[in-house]
């Protein structure tokens, strides 16, 4: 299966899920191009973007695991290019 490039946008409203999120990201670190995190202190949330290069099923699995964490939302945007 061909690799796809994608961005996974993550919003964390429950900071107790941060450790589990980092564990999940560590499992997929071979596919992660980079990440950027922004603490939004006024709203007490964290905003993270993850750039990935992986097969579509791997990206989907990663996004799904992230989205199932309590107080965490995620959406994935795929590049049109493979």
């Amino acid at each position: 299966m061909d690799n796809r490039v994608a961005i996974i946008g993550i919003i964390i409203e429950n900071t107790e899920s941060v450790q589990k999120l980092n564990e999940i990201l560590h499992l997929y670190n071979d596919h992660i191009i980079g990440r950027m995190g922004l603490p939004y202190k006024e709203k007490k949330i964290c905003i993270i973007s993850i750039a990935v290069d992986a097969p579509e099923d791997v990206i989907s699995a990663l996004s799904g695991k992230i989205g199932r964490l309590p107080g965490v939302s995620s959406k994935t945007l795929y590049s049109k290019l493979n």
Side-chain angles (χ1 to χ4, degrees):
M1 179 179 270
D2 290 337
N3 279 12
R4 300 281 309 267
V5 175
I7 297 286
I8 302 173
I10 304 165
I11 296 181
I12 303 170
E13 297 174 343
N14 179 358
T15 56
E16 293 178 11
S17 293
V18 171
Q19 182 177 347
K20 185 63 178 169
L21 172 64
N22 284 326
E23 290 171 10
I24 292 169
L25 294 177
H26 180 73
L27 293 174
Y28 288 85
N29 69 348
D30 290 342
H31 303 289
I32 294 175
I33 301 167
R35 74 185 262 186
M36 177 180 63
L38 301 167
Y40 192 179
K41 293 178 183 177
E42 291 85 14
K43 301 284 183 177
K44 297 181 182 172
I45 63 172
C46 297
I47 303 163
I48 301 172
S49 63
I50 309 290
V52 295
D53 184 351
E56 195 167 344
D57 60 335
V58 172
I59 296 170
S60 180
L62 171 58
S63 182
K65 288 178 184 178
I66 292 168
R68 285 191 291 277
L69 293 172
V72 178
S73 301
S74 70
K75 293 288 181 186
T76 304
L77 175 66
Y78 290 91
S79 167
K80 293 182 181 180
L81 302 175
N82 286 344

